[in-house]
Amino acid sequence: MAETDKSSAASHPLIESDHIEGTVVYDADGKRVGTIKRLVIEKVGGQVAYAVTTFGGFLGLGAETHSIPWEQLNYDTALGGYKTRITEEQLRKAPEFSRGDELLLSGHERKQLGDYYVAPF
Amino acid sequence: MAETDKSSAASHPLIESDHIEGTVVYDADGKRVGTIKRLVIEKVGGQVAYAVTTFGGFLGLGAETHSIPWEQLNYDTALGGYKTRITEEQLRKAPEFSRGDELLLSGHERKQLGDYYVAPF
């Protein structure tokens, strides 16, 4: 049911803030590894800062919530979801503050998290 | 209750996609004229394109939903909401397609709407 609607919404370049939950995140190999729970947006600029994402697809890793900097998510129109180069190993060692679900990150934490994920691994 | 939390959340530079609904929109004089229902976001760039906003505060105007281009909304930290220079007159004459609640705008419609609201009035 609603297969056409879903595919039409998936291929549309825009998405509503209240329809974001559940958007799939894939790893570099195109394997489904998690889903987006919410986006966190800069109030002034209107730019997405990071995505609170639930990971559960990595072998040996239970369901965990991580804040993922927006720069680490690349929308793939063919997949209808976001691809990330972030690895299971990186998630395991991610800063403690980036695992929370409810708190908004400070500017300092955002910078620290951005640096963590771009650092050579 | 939760006055501190509210004021702390209001002054934070970030907002969650699932907490956007109800953010207040003020007119140029700082009068409350509506509330944001949802933001519509570019999937690839992560930039907010427009805000689906319910207006109901203008004299003689019933509750109406309008898509408002992001450029027309300026976050005011003191007010804890968005200020807009859009007038009641502009809303009254806004393109029909921008009054819908459910449909995502096409690229052409976004351009047309952006032009409509920046045109001298």
Side-chain angles (χ1 to χ4, degrees):
Chain A
M1 185 206 95
E3 196 57 43
T4 319
D5 287 348
K6 267 180 74 180
S7 111
S8 145
S11 65
H12 199 286
L14 300 174
I15 188 165
E16 299 102 328
S17 54
D18 49 348
H19 286 180
I20 282 158
E21 192 175 348
T23 303
V24 179
V25 176
Y26 300 88
D27 70 8
D29 298 328
K31 189 183 140 210
R32 182 186 168 126
V33 289
T35 55
I36 291 179
K37 189 164 179 181
R38 69 175 64 95
L39 299 181
V40 178
I41 300 162
E42 295 170 357
K43 284 175 183 169
V44 173
Q47 174 64 41
V48 175
Y50 58 91
V52 178
T53 307
T54 305
F55 289 91
F58 286 125
L59 212 64
L61 188 71
E64 281 187 6
T65 303
H66 288 264
S67 290
I68 303 297
W70 180 251
E71 310 79 62
Q72 298 296 332
L73 296 169
N74 297 294
Y75 193 74
D76 186 309
T77 45
L79 289 169
Y82 290 90
K83 263 188 142 173
T84 186
R85 299 179 63 177
I86 288 177
T87 63
E88 178 184 356
E89 188 70 4
Q90 283 177 304
L91 290 176
R92 284 191 195 276
K93 298 182 179 167
E96 197 55 39
F97 65 76
S98 71
R99 297 157 182 271
D101 187 1
E102 291 305 326
L103 283 179
L104 292 170
L105 301 187
S106 70
H108 176 70
E109 287 168 335
R110 280 182 61 190
K111 165 130 188 30
Q112 208 180 321
L113 193 64
D115 291 348
Y116 170 74
Y117 280 120
V118 295
F121 208 76
Chain B
M1 185 207 93
E3 195 58 43
T4 321
D5 287 349
K6 266 182 72 180
S7 111
S8 146
S11 66
H12 199 287
L14 300 174
I15 189 166
E16 298 103 326
S17 54
D18 49 349
H19 287 180
I20 282 158
E21 191 176 348
T23 303
V24 178
V25 176
Y26 300 88
D27 70 7
D29 298 328
K31 189 183 138 207
R32 182 186 168 126
V33 290
T35 55
I36 291 179
K37 189 164 180 181
R38 69 174 63 96
L39 299 181
V40 178
I41 300 162
E42 294 169 359
K43 284 176 184 168
V44 173
Q47 174 64 42
V48 175
Y50 57 92
V52 178
T53 308
T54 306
F55 288 92
F58 286 126
L59 212 66
L61 189 70
E64 281 188 5
T65 303
H66 288 264
S67 290
I68 303 297
W70 180 252
E71 310 79 63
Q72 297 298 330
L73 296 168
N74 297 295
Y75 193 74
D76 186 309
T77 46
L79 289 170
Y82 290 90
K83 263 188 142 174
T84 185
R85 297 179 65 177
I86 288 178
T87 63
E88 178 184 356
E89 187 71 5
Q90 282 176 304
L91 290 177
R92 284 190 195 279
K93 298 182 180 167
E96 197 55 39
F97 66 76
S98 70
R99 296 157 183 270
D101 187 1
E102 291 306 325
L103 282 179
L104 292 171
L105 301 186
S106 69
H108 177 71
E109 287 168 335
R110 280 183 61 190
K111 165 129 188 30
Q112 207 180 322
L113 193 63
D115 291 347
Y116 171 73
Y117 281 121
V118 296
F121 209 76

